Amino acid sequence: GAGVSQSPSNKVTEKGKDVELRCDPISGHTALYWYRQSLGQGLEFLIYFQGNSAPDKSGLPSDRFSAERTGGSVSTLTIQRTQQEDSAVYLCASSPIRLAGGLETQYFGPGTRLLVL
Amino acid sequence: AQRVTQPEKLLSVFKGAPVELKCNYSYSGSPELFWYVQYSRQRLQLLLRHISRESIKGFTADLNKGETSFHLKKPFAQEEDSAMYYCALRAAGNKLTFGGGTRVLVKP
């Protein structure tokens, strides 16, 4: 079946502009995660959605970052007033519910490469 | 707070040689450990997880709680193993904490 998809694949923007990154999780997956992969920082967690529960926003680096998940499916990560240090690859992942009640393996999308000039 | 450390940024080995990628973690509870791999121009994918105790593509990893380590090993490296490898820890809350990654280069 189709995997996690993300759009756009590449985004170039000017400092100060807002950007929106989209993630389509695997159908039926209840959990959705955003991570950031940047040079020198590795992979860092940003935000996590699980069903109708309040999202875990503990990884968002500043209040310029926000994310929504509409209808328990598609998610949008928004970065307002972009800065050059926001340049990175933004990865989305999704996972199903584990039968025992926990959450299963995370499946990653191809990422959106963001460059802020 | 949890932390994952991969001390080697680059490992270069010859084909057929053993390879070991080190991973150490700090977490006060009982963690789940994973190895993820990213081949060139491909997405990040799960390689193996400690609770499965399985060997994938010849790789194995043993969780050593005493040493808080989860090193990844393969006795005979192949050229197709060249990739970026990330060790990750899942603690409470389901989010993954990743190490900095190790780039493996297998030379012919």
Side-chain angles (χ1 to χ4, degrees):
Chain A
V4 177
S5 60
Q6 292 185 245
S7 61
S9 53
N10 291 280
K11 177 71 177 178
V12 181
T13 190
E14 294 179 348
K15 177 181 172 182
K17 300 282 189 183
D18 297 352
V19 294
E20 284 189 353
L21 312 179
R22 177 188 168 104
C23 171
D24 283 87
I26 294 173
S27 178
H29 282 194
T30 59
L32 186 147
Y33 313 78
W34 283 98
Y35 295 89
R36 180 168 68 175
Q37 187 176 28
S38 50
L39 285 175
Q41 298 293 327
L43 273 157
E44 54 178 329
F45 165 80
L46 296 177
I47 187 169
Y48 155 57
F49 296 90
Q50 166 51 31
N52 296 321
S53 303
D56 177 350
K57 304 180 182 180
S58 59
L60 294 178
S62 77
D63 58 8
R64 296 186 296 105
F65 287 73
S66 63
E68 291 184 342
R69 189 177 185 194
T70 54
S73 181
V74 171
S75 177
T76 302
L77 177 69
T78 301
I79 309 174
Q80 296 178 307
R81 304 180 303 281
T82 52
Q83 303 294 313
Q84 289 180 331
E85 60 263 28
D86 299 335
S87 296
V89 176
Y90 289 82
L91 295 176
C92 177
S94 70
S95 69
I97 283 285
R98 187 189 296 169
L99 290 177
L103 289 176
E104 257 301 337
T105 304
Q106 295 180 28
Y107 296 85
F108 283 81
T112 292
R113 186 175 299 276
L114 175 66
L115 177 61
V116 182
L117 300 176
Chain B
Q2 57 266 24
R3 174 176 286 197
V4 178
T5 304
Q6 293 178 249
E8 304 124 336
K9 291 195 181 303
L10 174 66
L11 273 180
S12 182
V13 300
F14 285 102
K15 176 183 174 181
V19 61
E20 180 179 31
L21 290 74
K22 290 184 168 49
C23 172
N24 288 89
Y25 68 91
S26 63
Y27 179 60
S28 56
S30 184
E32 274 193 76
L33 276 299
F34 304 80
W35 276 98
Y36 278 81
V37 61
Q38 189 168 28
Y39 300 102
S40 180
R41 297 188 180 85
Q42 294 187 28
R43 63 185 67 190
L44 193 65
Q45 58 186 284
L46 178 68
L47 180 61
L48 56 78
R49 52 197 301 181
H50 90 269
I51 62 173
S52 299
R53 294 183 175 273
E54 57 196 344
S55 173
I56 303 293
K57 298 184 179 182
F59 285 97
T60 58
D62 292 317
L63 177 61
N64 185 323
K65 292 186 177 180
E67 296 183 357
T68 59
S69 68
F70 188 56
H71 304 327
L72 182 69
K73 303 176 185 178
K74 184 168 182 177
F76 308 103
Q78 302 300 312
E79 289 183 67
E80 55 266 28
D81 297 328
S82 295
M84 193 76 179
Y85 292 79
Y86 292 95
C87 183
L89 178 156
R90 182 163 70 192
N94 296 302
K95 62 191 178 188
L96 291 173
T97 299
F98 286 89
T102 298
R103 181 168 299 281
V104 172
L105 176 62
V106 182
K107 297 177 287 188

